[in-house]
Amino acid sequence: MGGGHWEHFAHEADIGVRGFGPTREAAFEQGALALMHAIGEADRVEPREVVEIDCEAPDDALLFVDWLNALIFEVATRGMLFARFELRIDGRRLAGRAWGESIDPARHEVAVEVKGATYTALRVAPRAGGGWLAQCVVDV
């Protein structure tokens, strides 16, 4: 995971997450980091445990939403936050890994509960200057 970055963008009561990277995979990884930073203090998360995540969708945009929703599911069911991501996209299949740790209230301040990734402002595309963009709005 290198050469990319993430950011949030404003959207009424919800939060936009956006990932940039030299590859589509890197943009998805950065989008996942933006999601984790929307939830809480992702910089304080240690990559102690790995969770495998597999998704499949008919196009890149829907695959990005599925990827984020799979992460949201893992946060909700495992009580974990994630700090590092690695994934491979082969056709319409995504095989990913997320490293993180259980939420520790003494170390991790959880700011919001994300209910799900939406199709609002959904876009996955190559950028004019090179690299990729992956973005959508998450419902909080």
Side-chain angles (χ1 to χ4, degrees), residues 5-7 17-21 26-28 30-31 34 64 132-135:
H5 66 281
W6 62 269
E7 66 185 24
V17 295
R18 184 178 285 144
F20 301 94
F28 276 44
Q30 293 297 317
F64 183 61
W132 283 78
L133 159 75
Q135 72 173 32

Side-chain angles (χ1 to χ4, degrees), residues 16 24 29 56 61 81 85-86 100 114 130-131 134 137-139:
R24 181 176 46 167
E29 291 166 1
E56 187 172 353
L81 290 175
F85 305 93
E86 182 180 284
V114 175
V137 170
V138 294
D139 184 16

